[in-house]
Amino acid sequence: SQSNDRNIIMAITKLIADSLGAGVGGKVLQVVTASESAARSITSTSYVNSSNGLSVDITPAATSSKIYIMVTLGYFYMPSGNNLMATVFRDSTNLAGGDGTIGLALHGGFNEVIPSAFHVVDSPSSTSELTYQVYAKVTAGTGQYGNANTTATITAFEIGA
């Protein structure tokens, strides 16, 4: 319902404002989201854009804005002995940080289905249109996320300073 949506946005706004530190405004300026309900098989050992449906474009209002990205994949599966990893790219930049090899979500290949969700705060220092997309890779074999009975989503919140 509309009331529940407003309560969720208010709770996220408070969570974000609390996590950004003192002196930061923490106001949600805009929200964009995309979703899909489809199975995605991953066989690449390098990060690939695994889904055109899990991509959002956002144009920040100010260079001081933060972009808070939430991803839910709904369904994560990897056979034993291999790993399935997912991350978010801003244009060509992997937001996982470090050397970017691990990603923001990891399934250790236990031959079971697990839910997967992750988030990241980005500081793009830009007022140009930015594209945030889910990328995935495997260490070997074939991994899968999503199916027709679950909905995978990516949501980007612009947080004003």
Side-chain angles (χ1 to χ4, degrees):
S1 76
Q2 193 172 26
S3 176
N4 284 341
D5 291 345
R6 186 175 27 150
N7 289 339
I8 290 169
I9 295 294
M10 289 171 50
I12 289 170
T13 300
K14 176 156 179 35
L15 171 75
I16 293 168
D18 289 350
S19 67
L20 289 176
V24 177
K27 292 181 174 51
V28 175
L29 302 179
Q30 61 176 313
V31 179
V32 292
T33 192
S35 63
E36 69 175 5
S37 296
R40 297 292 175 192
S41 292
I42 310 300
T43 58
S44 176
T45 57
S46 299
Y47 278 115
V48 292
N49 177 4
S50 53
S51 167
N52 291 332
L54 291 180
S55 174
V56 292
D57 296 322
I58 191 167
T59 304
T63 58
S64 59
S65 292
K66 307 274 189 215
I67 308 296
Y68 176 74
I69 301 107
M70 292 189 331
V71 175
T72 59
L73 296 178
Y75 173 103
F76 228 37
Y77 173 78
M78 189 70 207
S80 289
N82 299 312
N83 295 317
L84 170 62
M85 291 161 270
T87 190
V88 171
F89 274 68
R90 174 192 5 99
D91 299 322
S92 62
T93 301
N94 183 349
L95 299 183
D99 64 5
T101 59
I102 298 297
L104 296 167
L106 170 71
H107 185 306
F110 303 111
N111 249 353
E112 60 189 21
V113 173
I114 61 169
S116 181
F118 55 92
H119 64 242
V120 64
V121 176
D122 187 28
S123 301
S125 298
S126 175
T127 55
S128 298
E129 182 179 71
L130 305 168
T131 299
Y132 291 92
Q133 295 178 300
V134 174
Y135 277 58
K137 72 176 184 175
V138 294
T139 53
T142 301
Q144 179 179 323
Y145 74 82
N147 66 30
N149 298 318
T150 63
T151 301
T153 62
I154 182 171
T155 303
F157 299 81
E158 179 185 1
I159 311 301

